[in-house]
Amino acid sequence: MFIRTKLRSDKKKKEVVDTKGKKKQTEAEKKEEEKREEKQQKKEEELAQKVYDVREELYKTQLHINLDDVVWKLHSVLWPGGGFVKGLSSKSDVLYWSTSGLSNPDMPNGIEVTDTEYTYDEYGRVINVRSKMRAMADPLRVSHTLAGYGVEIVVATKQDDPLNATSWQSTLLESLVQTLFFGKWDIYQAIERLGSYTYQDVEFGEDFPNGKGSFLLTPLDPSQLPVDKNHFELPNGKLKIIVASYITPDELKCALKGQGGQLLLEKFEKLGFQYQISPHGRESVKLR
């Protein structure tokens, strides 16, 4: 179950101002403009619903992931209908957490947050955020061929992993989404160009060994995709599934040295989907 898309209805009707030398709108003109706006909004809502339905179906029938649990919803204005969902693979004992809505038609939304104030609990985790929002002066522009950002991001673990009892997966996805929204990060093009992306030192508090972790972002392994599919087509464009996989401190050191990132990616690709699963206590891959 994906989070149902709800488009922002913040389009204010234009006020008619009678200024010198400018003709005032007639009632007929105002009604005609309102009809056009209503028609456009209906069209956008229909597209959003189609995207939702197609995306949910491809997760279920092509990726064999039954996402049936909404685990987190984010700000309704910043990401209308967006959040995180969780579900079990129908073909294995792998449990998935996934973003829901990065590929929505109204993404990227061109909104930035200012004057942010955080409230933390006793473990250093964010429990409340207050901020102001405004339109970006220079918003991120992605290719018109993409569905929103062109990605949904997943985290995969074994169903019986003891760390599943914590909320580290949602914390990681929230950190990634915040970076996308506020850092104007074109994640699709970055991974297309480099093959992978290293995301470092995410703070988890007591929810994770050593309190933090680093991750390698890569496209979902071909073994988990339909034959000859490296992306999917939604009604609004291309969608690629990106996996955020835990990497050990030694693997991170390697990734940050010269061509180490490419070496690590090649090792992961040879080992296949098993290294896109983020297990507790995994040993480092042999890099030499």
Side-chain angles (χ1 to χ4, degrees), residues 247-252 268 275 281-287:
I247 56 176
T248 67
D250 286 342
E251 290 165 351
L252 175 62
F268 271 40
Y275 275 87
R282 177 175 70 76
E283 294 183 358
S284 299
V285 299
K286 295 181 179 179
L287 298 168

Side-chain angles (χ1 to χ4, degrees), residues 57-117:
E57 185 65 14
L58 77 83
Y59 263 74
K60 184 177 180 180
T61 63
Q62 299 194 56
L63 299 177
H64 307 287
I65 304 172
N66 296 316
L67 296 171
D68 56 7
D69 185 17
V70 177
V71 294
W72 196 264
K73 288 186 179 182
L74 294 185
H75 200 291
S76 61
V77 175
L78 191 61
W79 194 14
F84 312 135
V85 288
K86 180 177 72 173
L88 186 64
S89 168
S90 61
K91 297 181 70 176
S92 67
D93 62 346
V94 176
L95 190 60
Y96 290 88
W97 282 254
S98 177
T99 58
S100 170
L102 292 179
S103 54
N104 284 354
D106 59 347
M107 292 286 109
N109 60 22
I111 294 175
E112 67 179 350
V113 174
T114 62
D115 303 325
T116 302
E117 297 178 1

Side-chain angles (χ1 to χ4, degrees), residues 172-233:
L172 170 59
L173 290 176
E174 183 174 4
S175 177
L176 287 162
V177 168
Q178 299 282 4
T179 302
L180 276 174
F181 286 179
F182 307 137
K184 296 197 294 184
W185 177 28
D186 191 340
I187 181 174
Y188 187 96
Q189 289 302 324
I191 292 179
E192 280 285 283
R193 185 175 68 255
L194 302 172
S196 65
Y197 192 93
T198 305
Y199 197 72
Q200 304 175 46
D201 297 332
V202 182
E203 297 287 344
F204 296 110
E206 294 187 351
D207 284 350
F208 207 79
N210 302 318
K212 64 181 181 180
S214 296
F215 298 82
L216 191 70
L217 304 182
T218 55
L220 181 62
D221 188 78
S223 68
Q224 305 302 303
L225 295 169
V227 177
D228 298 327
K229 281 271 189 181
N230 64 3
H231 71 269
F232 298 97
E233 289 289 343

Side-chain angles (χ1 to χ4, degrees), residues 250-265:
D250 286 342
E251 290 165 351
L252 175 62
K253 288 178 184 178
C254 173
L256 298 178
K257 291 180 180 178
Q259 300 298 314
Q262 185 61 33
L263 174 62
L264 184 60
L265 175 61

